[in-house]
């Protein structure tokens, strides 16, 4: 078994520590055990044991948001439907028109 003589001092905000402690206690783990598990996984995978990335919205999402803002600013410029039946009728008419 490894020598458990080294200490690590970590500063964490109180709310994060308290919330994590509750979850870990429910799992039957101490904070120390959880940190040891994390560090062993860092060694095992030779990096962080989870994905860390800066999530950026896709170009498609950005364009959709821009379009939604335009619709919101100028609702009268866009058709509205009171139910799915109305929408389906318009879509079916468009499909028939495109077949010609």
């Amino acid at each position: 078994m490894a020598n458990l003589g080294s200490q690590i001092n970590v500063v964490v905000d109180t709310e994060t520590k308290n919330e994590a402690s509750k979850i870990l206690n429910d799992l039957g783990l101490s904070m120390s055990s959880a940190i040891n598990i994390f560090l062993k996984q860092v060694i095992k995978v030779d990096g962080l044991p989870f994905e860390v990335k800066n999530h950026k919205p896709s170009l498609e999402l950005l364009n959709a948001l821009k379009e939604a803002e335009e619709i919101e600013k100028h609702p009268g410029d866009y058709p509205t439907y009171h139910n799915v039946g109305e929408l389906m009728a318009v879509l079916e008419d468009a499909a028939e028109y495109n077949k010609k």
Side-chain angles (χ1 to χ4, degrees):
M1 181 173 227
N3 180 358
L4 298 177
S6 294
Q7 279 191 331
I8 299 174
N9 294 316
V10 180
V11 178
V12 180
D13 70 83
T14 303
E15 185 177 338
T16 299
K17 179 182 177 254
N18 291 340
E19 287 182 34
S21 291
K22 286 177 191 173
I23 294 167
L24 294 171
N25 286 335
D26 287 345
L27 294 170
L29 294 170
S30 67
M31 186 70 68
S32 182
S33 294
I35 291 170
N36 274 295
I37 291 169
F38 169 75
L39 294 175
K40 287 180 189 239
Q41 286 298 305
V42 167
I43 293 165
K44 183 177 182 179
V45 301
D46 195 21
L48 291 176
F50 46 82
E51 186 175 289
V52 177
K53 65 192 257 189
N54 185 5
H55 292 281
K56 294 180 183 174
S58 67
L59 184 59
E60 182 180 16
L61 176 59
L62 292 173
N63 288 335
L65 290 170
K66 208 181 288 185
E67 183 179 355
E69 287 173 0
E70 280 301 309
I71 292 170
E72 192 174 49
K73 287 178 188 172
H74 309 287
D77 294 347
Y78 301 90
T80 57
Y81 309 98
H82 294 93
N83 58 54
V84 174
E86 286 181 17
L87 172 61
M88 292 305 294
V90 170
L91 292 173
E92 288 168 1
D93 288 346
E96 283 299 315
Y97 178 81
N98 288 327
K99 284 182 183 177
K100 296 178 184 178

